[in-house]
Amino acid sequence: MVLICGIDEARRGPVLSVMVMCGAMIEEKDMPKLIKLKPKDSKLLTKEEREELYPKLLSVLKYYKVIIMQPDEIDKAVKGGDGLNLNKLEAHKQAEILNEFNPDKAIIDCPSNNIKNYRIFLKKLIKNKKIELVLEHKAERYPLVAAASIIAKVTGDREIEILKKQIGIDFGSGYMSDPKTVEFLKNNFENYPELFRKSWLPYQELVNKKFQKSLSDFSSFLKEEQKHKSHTIEDLRKLEELGFHLEKPKSEHELAIMKGPCTVILYKNGKLLIQGNEDAKKSVEKLLNI
């Protein structure tokens, strides 16, 4: 009995929600049954076609395993947590499937441009070094990998629909090519931070834009305040709307201390001292012309 495993992922690119990996294993003698179903890359099928194929594929497979990766796990890998990156995270999940299934042969859609190095990395994670590894780009041309692609995609789509029902908002597909997703990200990146991949550029751009706006508003407020001869703690309380909070002065010469993206100390003589993260400090100093 020869066992063959096909592995593929779905939802690698969206800014929102999960990435899904699927391992589909079949006995070689049952491959004609799979081929008869004519599975192909899930991206080339409509949602209805995928849903129709899904139970038929499961009926001819010996085993299948789905691994769902949440945004926080993806972000950790992208940021280099545990020495990973997104490709290495995929390799670890592929190895998890192969170590459980222990097939004779595995056909894998390779996410890396450097297939040779990826093979070396993946092989280190696999317990059975005798597994024949076939690593290719666009490996969905193999029916078994196409089947894994469809199962992963259907699983991911269903996860998205569950999220929409939970929050009561139709945010679209989760991809930035979808206007609904773009609008949802813009209006809700702070309301539902757990849904987003914070390491993705669209999310980071919104966070940075808000931070810069806060600094700009802060600058404008302080410049306006400097026109007056005296300041009060109540004046500075306006900064609380920008994420700052008031703390007790540490000396008799200080009028107020505000903590936020940086620390701002307002002295009784009207002078300001800005302390904190070097990048934030430089941004504030530049904006305030200090």
Side-chain angles (χ1 to χ4, degrees):
M1 180 177 66
V2 177
L3 296 174
I4 307 172
C5 180
I7 301 178
D8 200 5
E9 50 73 27
R11 299 190 61 81
R12 178 184 169 98
V15 70
L16 193 153
S17 192
V18 300
M19 177 165 72
V20 182
M21 182 165 289
C22 175
M25 192 157 77
I26 195 169
E27 291 186 30
E28 189 175 41
K29 66 179 179 61
D30 291 328
M31 191 65 77
K33 297 178 184 177
L34 179 65
I35 294 173
K36 190 175 180 179
L37 293 174
K38 298 180 180 180
K40 55 185 177 181
D41 186 350
S42 62
K43 295 186 286 293
L44 302 178
L45 299 171
T46 65
K47 182 177 182 180
E48 290 72 25
E49 289 172 332
R50 292 192 296 267
E51 287 286 352
E52 183 180 351
L53 267 174
Y54 181 84
K56 295 177 182 179
L57 294 173
L58 298 189
S59 69
V60 300
L61 296 175
K62 186 174 182 64
Y63 305 114
Y64 78 97
K65 180 180 179 68
V66 169
I67 297 176
I68 296 175
M69 290 157 272
Q70 297 294 337
D72 58 346
E73 184 178 13
I74 296 168
D75 286 334
K76 184 178 179 181
V78 171
K79 293 175 182 177
D82 296 328
L84 297 177
N85 57 34
L86 197 55
N87 286 347
K88 289 180 178 179
L89 175 64
E90 286 199 34
H92 275 271
K93 301 304 180 182
Q94 291 162 359
E96 181 180 333
I97 291 170
L98 295 177
N99 287 335
E100 181 176 330
F101 285 177
N102 193 29
D104 300 289
K105 178 179 179 180
I107 310 170
I108 300 171
D109 186 56
C110 182
S112 172
N113 291 326
N114 192 327
I115 293 179
K116 181 180 178 181
N117 285 351
Y118 191 88
R119 179 191 300 274
I120 293 170
F121 182 81
L122 176 60
K123 205 152 190 174
K124 289 178 180 178
L125 303 174
I126 299 173
K127 295 176 182 177
N128 182 359
K129 309 300 181 184
K130 293 182 180 181
I131 296 175
E132 179 187 350
L133 295 178
V134 177
L135 298 174
E136 292 187 15
H137 297 139
K138 301 186 183 302
E140 293 90 353
R141 69 187 184 89
Y142 294 94
L144 189 55
V145 178
S149 168
I150 292 167
I151 295 169
K153 179 63 174 169
V154 169
T155 302
D157 287 346
R158 291 177 179 178
E159 287 291 313
I160 288 297
E161 293 308 311
I162 291 172
L163 280 179
K164 289 178 183 178
K165 290 179 181 178
Q166 285 178 345
I167 67 175
I169 302 174
D170 180 3
F171 50 71
S173 65
Y175 288 84
M176 289 302 290
S177 57
D178 188 333
K180 285 185 178 180
T181 299
V182 173
E183 190 68 15
F184 179 74
L185 172 63
K186 184 175 70 175
N187 296 328
N188 294 280
F189 73 100
E190 292 180 297
N191 298 331
Y192 301 100
E194 71 281 0
L195 299 186
F196 296 100
R197 302 182 188 180
K198 299 178 185 65
S199 55
W200 259 231
L201 186 59
Y203 184 92
Q204 291 185 341
E205 285 179 338
L206 281 173
V207 172
N208 291 335
K209 185 177 179 181
K210 184 180 188 322
F211 176 67
Q212 291 300 324
K213 183 180 184 303
S214 294
L215 291 179
S216 179
D217 291 346
F218 182 45
S219 172
S220 299
F221 169 75
L222 289 177
K223 285 178 180 178
E224 181 64 28
E225 284 296 290
Q226 289 294 349
K227 295 177 183 178
H228 302 85
K229 291 183 179 180
S230 62
H231 304 274
T232 67
I233 292 177
E234 288 304 315
D235 292 333
L236 292 187
R237 282 193 180 278
K238 298 174 187 177
L239 291 177
E240 291 177 342
E241 298 176 3
L242 305 176
F244 289 81
H245 63 275
L246 191 65
E247 290 194 355
K248 186 178 179 180
K250 297 179 180 178
S251 78
E252 61 180 356
H253 303 294
E254 296 170 352
L255 182 62
I257 300 176
M258 297 297 289
K259 289 287 186 73
C262 55
T263 299
V264 178
I265 302 174
L266 178 62
Y267 292 96
K268 291 180 180 178
N269 62 5
K271 292 184 179 181
L272 291 169
L273 176 64
I274 303 171
Q275 300 174 314
N277 177 276
E278 199 60 35
D279 290 338
K281 182 179 176 182
K282 288 179 181 178
S283 296
V284 173
E285 288 174 344
K286 183 177 179 182
L287 286 168
L288 298 178
N289 297 316
I290 296 176

